[in-house]
Amino acid sequence: MFEFYGRLTRARFASASAIRIGLFAASVVGFPFLLVALSQASGCQSIGGACEVVELLGATAFKPLAFELFVFSFAGISVRRVRDIGLPGWIGLFVPFFFAADWQFLVTAGAPWTLAFSAGILDLSFPFFALLGLMGTAILCAVPSGTAAPHAEDSSGRAGSRASEPSSSPPSSIAVSSAARIPLRTLLVLALVPAAIAFKLGMSDEVSFWLALMTMSVTMFLPTLAVYFAVLLGLYLVVTRRNATSSGIVVLALLPFADWGYAQWSTARAHEREAREIAAIPTTPVATIPATLVWQSSVGPGENAVWTIAAIQHVIEKSTLSHSLQEVERPPDPKHVRYTKPTPVASLPDEYLLFKLGRESGYANKSLIYAAAGGPFELRYVHSGQDDLVAVWYRAFNPRPSAMPLLTLLGWYRGPNTTTAGEIAASVAAFLASALPSSG
């Protein structure tokens, strides 16, 4: 099972991989029945909560072991199969590596929720890498043996002596065998082009391409390269082989791209739902803009964006920690001189706008992660003993995947949740401009 020497033919590899996948699938499907047997044998039903403990102990003992056996058992056969193709055997280690990358999904599949909870796994993403492992397995089952490896194998699958060829073999047999080989190196070089383009488009212009490549080669570039290589290989097989196996490989290779397209669509739908949710909040427009705005925020810049509203002459900073009030006068030239010295004030005026930023807003959801420049922003009009909601806006951190499919160990790359003070100020300015009358 764990032998790394010799070579393995397509038929032997297909049989060995099918047995391993079948046994692991059987362990997933049959594990709930094993838990039922454990519960009945232990008699835990008579003690409240005891069965959950028995299930957790059984899952902790069995599921990681089954996963480890599955992954490590693929290492030997994949190395030997790749060597039989005519490539360096270490390339075959990518197949178990892809399975191992989705350990959270594969370990918890079929297990009680307590196993994931105890391991700190709170969310499971789509098993991209398990799919890549299956695609790699299918590819190794389809690629014929290379001309450099026409060795016979004994019953253990080890490489034996070179198979003898009849003296009557036509001289063109070597050419035919060479033509039957798949140009894996050429396809790999071609796959580098779209992978590098996707990597460049996904990275910020402020980050050096080569520095990002060195630091993220394993977590981002190699998974992306595998995705594009699988597509090119599938298309090549469809064009040159035109059989059911080739069609199956190209379908598997296109599944990640279908999921990327679905992620684009679902994210756009989520943004639309969020916009409808905000639009449904009842608000009261302001007829006249008061001269004072109270800025309430425990963290976050953007206060200078208030000066884009010409009617606002005073900003009172309201600290949520000390409850102190500091007033800032409008600078003479806000475009060039944005700051004036704050002075303490004893109380708020009778009429003012109240701007709440971030977690200070009553519409902030503690369980939701917002975009760095996504607020929430809440604007209220306080006057004559009334407190009217003028406008509210927020944007949860749910960006679309990058323009080209860029795969990471955590799923499709969507960019970091970072921003600058200038971007926050621009977001605040746009919010105030849309919430307040232009005549102000």
Side-chain angles (χ1 to χ4, degrees):
M1 177 184 293
F2 301 106
E3 295 177 353
F4 291 87
Y5 50 85
R7 295 180 173 86
L8 208 62
T9 62
R10 282 192 297 175
R12 289 184 177 274
F13 177 80
S15 175
S17 59
I19 291 174
R20 285 158 173 76
I21 294 174
L23 288 176
F24 183 76
S27 72
V28 172
V29 175
F31 185 69
F33 299 97
L34 177 61
L35 291 182
V36 172
L38 286 175
S39 299
Q40 292 178 351
S42 63
C44 61
Q45 296 86 352
S46 59
I47 304 175
C51 287
E52 286 76 8
V53 176
V54 172
E55 291 176 354
L56 176 59
L57 292 176
T60 304
F62 178 81
K63 295 294 290 183
L65 178 60
F67 167 75
E68 291 168 2
L69 290 175
F70 172 70
V71 170
F72 284 107
S73 67
F74 254 98
I77 63 172
S78 299
V79 168
R80 295 160 66 194
R81 177 79 263 268
V82 168
R83 189 180 293 119
D84 181 66
I85 294 173
L87 297 175
W90 61 266
I91 297 178
L93 293 176
F94 276 97
V95 172
F97 169 79
F98 286 138
F99 286 127
D102 264 330
W103 69 270
Q104 294 182 342
F105 180 87
L106 296 178
V107 169
T108 59
W113 67 271
T114 51
L115 178 63
F117 183 80
S118 63
I121 303 173
L122 302 180
D123 186 26
L124 292 176
S125 59
F126 184 82
F128 294 101
F129 294 98
L131 181 60
L132 286 176
L134 291 176
M135 284 194 295
T137 303
I139 291 170
L140 293 180
C141 290
V143 178
S145 300
T147 55
H151 294 272
E153 295 185 353
D154 57 21
S155 58
S156 65
R158 303 178 185 179
S161 59
R162 183 176 297 271
S164 59
E165 296 183 1
S167 57
S168 59
S169 297
S172 61
S173 60
I174 296 179
V176 173
S177 178
S178 177
R181 295 184 63 189
I182 298 174
L184 296 180
R185 292 183 179 85
T186 302
L187 295 176
L188 183 61
V189 172
L190 292 176
L192 286 170
V193 177
I197 294 175
F199 189 78
K200 176 60 178 177
L201 293 177
M203 294 294 100
S204 171
D205 294 335
E206 301 175 356
V207 180
S208 169
F209 173 82
W210 297 109
L211 178 62
L213 185 61
M214 288 188 294
T215 56
M216 303 179 186
S217 59
V218 175
T219 59
M220 186 178 298
F221 187 77
L222 287 181
T224 303
L225 178 63
V227 168
Y228 287 103
F229 172 76
V231 171
L232 291 178
L233 178 59
L235 293 176
Y236 176 85
L237 292 175
V238 167
V239 172
T240 58
R241 301 294 192 270
R242 297 183 181 181
N243 52 33
T245 302
S246 301
S247 300
I249 291 175
V250 77
V251 168
L252 285 175
L254 290 175
L255 285 180
F257 291 85
D259 182 78
W260 173 82
Y262 175 78
Q264 294 277 359
W265 175 82
S266 62
T267 302
R269 292 291 301 272
H271 291 171
E272 293 174 0
R273 288 194 301 269
E274 189 177 59
R276 290 194 299 267
E277 180 182 283
I278 295 173
I281 299 174
T283 57
T284 303
V286 176
T288 304
I289 302 176
T292 302
L293 181 142
V294 177
W295 181 277
Q296 182 176 338
S297 172
S298 57
V299 293
E303 184 177 340
N304 294 324
V306 174
W307 306 129
T308 59
I309 307 300
I312 298 178
Q313 301 297 316
H314 317 278
V315 172
I316 297 178
E317 302 171 354
K318 183 178 181 181
S319 173
T320 56
L321 300 178
S322 62
H323 303 287
S324 63
L325 302 175
Q326 298 282 334
E327 185 177 57
V328 178
E329 297 291 334
R330 183 181 186 88
D333 187 4
K335 291 184 178 180
H336 300 91
V337 181
R338 300 182 179 182
Y339 301 97
T340 59
K341 185 178 180 180
T343 58
V345 294
S347 61
L348 297 174
D350 295 333
E351 181 186 31
Y352 59 88
L353 291 171
L354 175 60
F355 182 84
K356 296 183 178 182
L357 172 63
R359 298 297 175 181
E360 303 303 321
S361 170
Y363 293 89
N365 188 341
K366 294 182 179 180
S367 62
L368 193 63
I369 299 176
Y370 293 94
F377 301 151
E378 180 181 350
L379 185 64
R380 310 191 74 89
Y381 178 39
V382 181
H383 65 104
S384 304
Q386 298 182 13
D387 187 352
D388 301 328
L389 176 64
V390 178
V392 63
W393 179 84
Y394 48 82
R395 171 57 57 87
F397 180 65
N398 184 24
R400 291 190 178 189
S402 54
M404 286 182 64
L406 184 59
L407 186 61
T408 74
L409 292 178
L410 300 177
W412 298 116
Y413 183 70
R414 297 172 181 263
N417 191 16
T418 58
T419 189
T420 63
E423 291 173 342
I424 295 177
S427 186
V428 172
F431 170 74
L432 293 176
S434 63
L436 298 174
S438 57
S439 58

